[in-house]
Amino acid sequence: MTLLNYRFNIVLVERNYGLLPGALNLHFSDLDIDERTGIVLGDVNQMGDDCVVQNLVTKIAALSLKYSSCWLIVYNDKNSGW
C-alpha cells in the first residue's frame, strides 16, 4: 500500500461495515472512486437468483442518491466451473 501512495498518490482504506448496528439495511458501493463515482461488483453466477438480482437493483437505486456515476462490474468467478 505504501507503494501505491508514494508512486501514484492512491490511498487505500478498508472498511468493515458489518460492525455497524443496522448495517444490513444500508447500501454501500464496493469501491469508492471519488465523492461522485462508485463501483458495485456482481457475480454473474449468482444472477440466476431473483433475490440476488432484486438486492442488486435496490442497492444501485439507493446508491444513485449518493453518486452521479455508479458503475456495475459483472464478473465470472473462474473457480466456479461455469
Side-chain angles (χ1 to χ4, degrees):
M1 283 197 296
T2 305
L3 180 64
L4 288 174
N5 192 5
Y6 177 72
R7 292 184 84 183
F8 304 107
N9 197 23
I10 296 174
V11 177
L12 291 174
V13 178
E14 183 177 354
R15 298 175 278 192
N16 185 358
Y17 291 113
L19 300 175
L20 291 174
L24 295 176
N25 297 329
L26 301 175
H27 300 284
F28 300 101
S29 64
D30 293 313
L31 295 169
D32 291 333
I33 304 303
D34 57 25
E35 67 277 357
R36 294 172 289 151
T37 308
I39 296 176
V40 176
L41 302 174
D43 187 355
V44 73
N45 297 318
Q46 297 178 353
M47 294 297 171
D49 185 6
D50 289 339
C51 184
V52 172
V53 174
Q54 182 61 42
N55 288 339
L56 186 60
V57 169
T58 303
K59 183 177 187 177
I60 291 172
L63 291 174
S64 71
L65 301 172
K66 179 179 179 181
Y67 298 112
S68 58
S69 296
C70 187
W71 293 87
L72 172 62
I73 297 177
V74 180
Y75 64 93
N76 183 10
D77 186 12
K78 296 199 184 281
N79 295 330
S80 66
W82 187 74

